[in-house]
Amino acid sequence: MDVHGFHRALSREAPERRGGAELPVHVTEDGRVFVHVGSRFVEASLDELDRIFARLAADGGSVVYSRDDPGEEPDEVATEVVELVAEHRLPFRLRSEPPDGSNDSDL
């Protein structure tokens, strides 16, 4: 999904969810990044994630971050995602378990 598709999906969310929304972000063991849009997870590149985080920060949102194998050292992609969160000064919280829906074929 491109960043414009993400923003269109976000704008269709209920108004109370737009401002201050928590965006679940999950990094898989093989380095793929997924963001929760609507009712499912969609894959996003790091460039798309950078733009998504910029919009999320402007809207006063935050990130709920999780990754596969949280007890292991993070790989390069997981580290880059956390660096993007910090760069955009987004509030975030860590989840030790995969997000709801992670058993779906999308993730």
Side-chain angles (χ1 to χ4, degrees):
M1 167 178 284
D2 67 16
V3 70
H4 300 295
F6 170 80
H7 294 307
R8 282 191 301 275
L10 186 62
S11 68
R12 287 191 299 265
E13 294 283 324
E16 65 273 7
R17 294 204 51 206
R18 283 200 302 258
E22 283 190 331
L23 177 68
V25 176
H26 184 77
V27 180
T28 63
E29 189 174 24
D30 61 357
R32 295 182 301 152
V33 179
F34 290 86
V35 296
H36 194 263
V37 177
S39 62
R40 64 188 180 98
F41 281 88
V42 294
E43 191 167 356
S45 71
L46 290 173
D47 287 338
E48 289 171 327
L49 197 62
D50 186 33
R51 293 188 295 269
I52 289 166
F53 283 177
R55 173 70 181 265
L56 191 64
D59 290 346
S62 62
V63 171
V64 179
Y65 173 83
S66 63
R67 65 181 173 91
D68 290 346
D69 299 324
E72 301 295 320
E73 287 295 315
D75 66 9
E76 184 178 328
V77 172
T79 300
E80 288 182 43
V81 170
V82 172
E83 288 173 354
L84 283 173
V85 169
E87 180 180 311
H88 289 283
R89 297 178 169 242
L90 285 163
F92 73 99
R93 62 187 175 97
L94 302 174
R95 287 183 59 118
S96 59
E97 299 175 4
D100 292 339
S102 64
N103 292 328
D104 296 345
S105 59
D106 289 340
L107 197 62

